[in-house]
């Protein structure tokens, strides 16, 4: 399915209205650690296919949503399932950490 | 030169300017280096090293207009890959330097080693020190940040602080002043360690203030940082200051944990190299970059020492008949 670009405008439809869990990465182009985890998110989107939606939200362009989560550090990842936040990860983490978090949810 | 499938000629641990320069040189020498680059994290111990958390690099020669840290490191990496370096995104979990070829484990530390290598270049760098306050865990990512470049944007029009008195602290303060209303530099001494040019810029910046002879005693706030309690070094007197952001730049610790008991260290914990070269206390193991440099700690000196380690490793392997 690939990684979807989320915006403040598409959030409700793509995240809240999703039938499957959504992993969201809050990122910005100037953030080095965000670049480090970008390939992990792409791999996860590929490998989990229809079981997981993976999206990224550029906090520079869409700050409203970031503010609503009290985000003051990026990368910041959350997993939303049935409209609820079920996991949060602050900072960059290795692939194994993502696998561990997703294993509890999927 | 001979290569076999299960014994590498050169394994480089770490991928900052030191490790990747060693990779470029050993790759061009057709030694087919393996670079075990580390794993993503936001602690300054990560692929690309400390520059991944910095903004404009203005003192790396060849970039008259400056370049961002992540861009510079992407360039180093691409250059190493172009000449055939193999890069593995993982952390070394254990090394055995008492046998030869040397043995390295990635992932589990039990069982057979993941790699065996005739030479090893240690380029594990240094990690940022934190304040060591219990509140740090709770507020990391909610007002406390380890990466000014990443997070400065979130502190637009706020009053925030930077702890430290070196170049890194002032670089962060100057960067953060683009966003914040005020940036207060909290320093435990009454003079700065930072370079003259950075001091001049910081003193000239109307948004930057200084709290001298002061340390951080505690951080307040449950969901988000709401205030910082500072203490006067001389009197111990505490003051609550309503900072909503805090950036810590109080120095570094060399990443030598993997080599405890196997490689000789200086008294201050940095890896010891010998004879003005890159040799460590174990023949065939070389070191470069900040893990062995407590004095210069620059991207360019790390890169220079990476070149030294590569040439030393190449000559050593040649003398060994490989």
């Amino acid at each position: 399915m690939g990684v979807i670009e989320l915006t403040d405008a598409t959030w409700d439809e793509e995240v809240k209205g999703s039938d499957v869990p959504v992993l969201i990465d809050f990122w910005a182009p100037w953030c080095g650690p965000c670049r480090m985890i970008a390939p992990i998110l792409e791999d996860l989107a590929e490998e989990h296919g229809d079981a997981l939606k993976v999206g990224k939200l550029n906090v520079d362009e869409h700050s409203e949503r970031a503010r609503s989560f009290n985000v003051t550090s990026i990368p910041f990842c959350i997993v939303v399932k049935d409209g609820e936040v079920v996991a949060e990860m602050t900072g960059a983490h290795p692939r194994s950490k993502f696998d561990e978090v997703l294993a509890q949810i999927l | 030169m001979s290569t076999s499938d299960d014994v590498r000629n050169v394994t480089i641990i770490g991928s900052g300017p030191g490790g990747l320069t060693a990779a470029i040189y050993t790759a061009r020498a057709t030694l087919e280096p393996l670079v075990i680059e580390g794993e993503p994290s936001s602690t300054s111990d990560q692929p690309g090293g400390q520059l991944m958390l910095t903004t404009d690099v203005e003192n790396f020669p060849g970039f008259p207009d400056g370049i961002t840290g992540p861009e510079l490191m992407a360039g180093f990496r691409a250059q190493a890959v172009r000449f055939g370096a193999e890069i593995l995104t993982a952390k070394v979990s254990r090394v055995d330097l008492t046998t030869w070829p040397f043995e390295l484990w990635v992932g589990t530390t039990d069982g057979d080693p993941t790699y065996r290598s005739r030479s090893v270049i240690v380029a594990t760098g240094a990690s940022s020190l934190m304040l060591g306050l219990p509140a740090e865990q709770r507020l990391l990512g909610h007002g406390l940040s380890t990466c000014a470049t990443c997070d400065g944007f979130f502190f637009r029009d706020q009053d925030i602080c930077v702890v430290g008195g070196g170049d890194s602290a002032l670089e962060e303060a100057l960067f953060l002043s683009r966003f914040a209303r005020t940036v207060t530099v909290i320093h435990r001494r009454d003079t700065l360690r930072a370079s003259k040019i950075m001091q001049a810029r910081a003193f000239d910046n109307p948004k930057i203030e200084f709290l001298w002879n002061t340390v951080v005693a505690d951080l307040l706030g449950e969901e988000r940082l709401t205030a910082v309690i500072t203490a006067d070094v001389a009197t111990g007197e505490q003051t609550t200051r309503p900072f909503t952001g805090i950036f810590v730049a109080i120095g570094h610790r060399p990443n030598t944990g993997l080599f405890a008991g196997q490689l000789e260290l200086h008294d201050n914990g940095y890896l010891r190299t010998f004879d003005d070269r890159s040799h460590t206390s174990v023949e065939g193991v070389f070191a470069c970059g900040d893990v062995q440099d407590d004095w210069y700690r620059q991207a360019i000196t790390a890169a220079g020492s990476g070149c030294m380690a590569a040439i030393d490793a190449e000559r050593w392997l040649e003398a060994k008949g490989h």
Side-chain angles (χ1 to χ4, degrees), chain B residues 10-270:
Chain B
V10 184
T11 302
I12 298 165
I13 309 174
S15 59
L20 289 177
T21 300
I24 292 166
Y25 270 78
T26 50
R28 292 192 77 248
T30 66
L31 292 169
E32 301 173 325
L34 170 67
V35 181
I36 307 180
E37 69 171 350
E39 283 185 332
S41 98
S42 297
T43 63
S44 74
D45 175 16
Q46 70 243 317
Q50 294 167 52
L51 285 185
M52 295 302 285
L53 304 183
T54 65
T55 163
D56 298 333
V57 180
E58 294 184 332
N59 54 12
F60 202 89
F63 300 93
D65 301 319
I67 182 168
T68 70
E71 269 171 341
L72 181 61
M73 294 323 298
F76 270 75
R77 195 177 189 277
Q79 197 169 344
V81 168
R82 179 184 157 209
F83 293 111
E86 184 187 339
I87 299 191
L88 179 75
T89 306
K91 264 194 123 134
V92 174
S93 52
R94 177 184 163 198
V95 295
D96 187 343
L97 307 177
T98 62
T99 61
W100 194 84
F102 304 117
E103 298 181 335
L104 299 96
W105 285 257
V106 166
T108 175
T109 55
D110 298 332
D112 292 335
T114 324
Y115 296 98
R116 297 196 301 144
S117 188
R118 294 187 183 95
S119 69
V120 168
I121 295 177
V122 177
T124 47
S127 301
S128 309
L129 292 172
M130 298 300 286
L131 297 166
L133 300 169
E136 276 178 312
Q137 293 298 328
R138 182 177 80 240
L139 293 168
L140 183 63
H142 302 287
L144 169 70
S145 174
T146 56
C147 177
T149 333
C150 307
D151 304 338
F153 160 87
F154 295 106
F155 298 93
R156 203 175 289 276
D157 300 323
Q158 299 184 30
D159 298 309
I160 63 174
C161 62
V162 173
V163 190
D167 269 343
S168 307
L170 294 194
E171 190 192 318
E172 294 204 347
L174 286 159
F175 177 76
L176 292 167
S177 73
R178 298 185 204 173
F179 306 98
R181 185 166 58 202
T182 63
V183 181
T184 302
V185 176
I186 300 176
H187 187 41
R188 65 192 162 121
R189 304 184 197 287
D190 60 1
T191 52
L192 296 167
R193 228 174 31 244
S195 60
K196 289 281 181 287
I197 182 169
M198 297 301 281
Q199 292 200 30
R201 282 189 200 171
F203 291 139
D204 278 351
N205 188 309
K207 284 185 172 181
I208 298 181
E209 296 161 18
F210 289 86
L211 272 178
W212 304 105
N213 300 312
T214 304
V215 293
V216 173
D218 205 358
L219 308 176
L220 301 182
E222 286 303 316
E223 305 279 300
R224 272 205 64 161
L225 178 72
T226 54
V228 173
I229 300 180
T230 59
D232 184 295
V233 172
T235 64
E237 190 189 340
Q238 297 200 343
T239 312
T240 302
R241 303 175 192 273
F243 297 128
T244 51
I246 182 167
F247 292 78
V248 179
I250 54 173
H252 294 90
R253 167 175 45 80
N255 298 322
T256 55
L258 266 182
F259 314 103
Q262 300 194 61
L263 294 178
E264 207 172 302
L265 308 178
H266 287 288
D267 289 342
N268 61 8
Y270 283 76

Side-chain angles (χ1 to χ4, degrees), chain B residues 265-309:
Chain B
L265 308 178
H266 287 288
D267 289 342
N268 61 8
Y270 283 76
L271 263 191
R272 185 157 178 213
T273 54
F274 294 82
D275 308 327
D276 296 326
R277 300 240 171 94
S278 67
H279 312 267
T280 67
S281 56
V282 173
E283 198 190 321
V285 179
F286 306 87
C288 59
D290 282 11
V291 72
Q292 52 86 56
D293 174 13
D294 68 335
W295 187 249
Y296 301 105
R297 296 182 296 198
Q298 302 298 305
I300 186 74
T301 50
S305 70
C307 166
M308 290 163 62

Side-chain angles (χ1 to χ4, degrees), chain A residues 27-36 74-75, chain B residues 52 70 147 149-151:
Chain A
W27 73 289
W30 61 73
C31 157
C34 298
R35 290 187 201 202
M36 276 185 248
I74 48 174
Chain B
M52 295 302 285
C147 177
T149 333
C150 307
D151 304 338

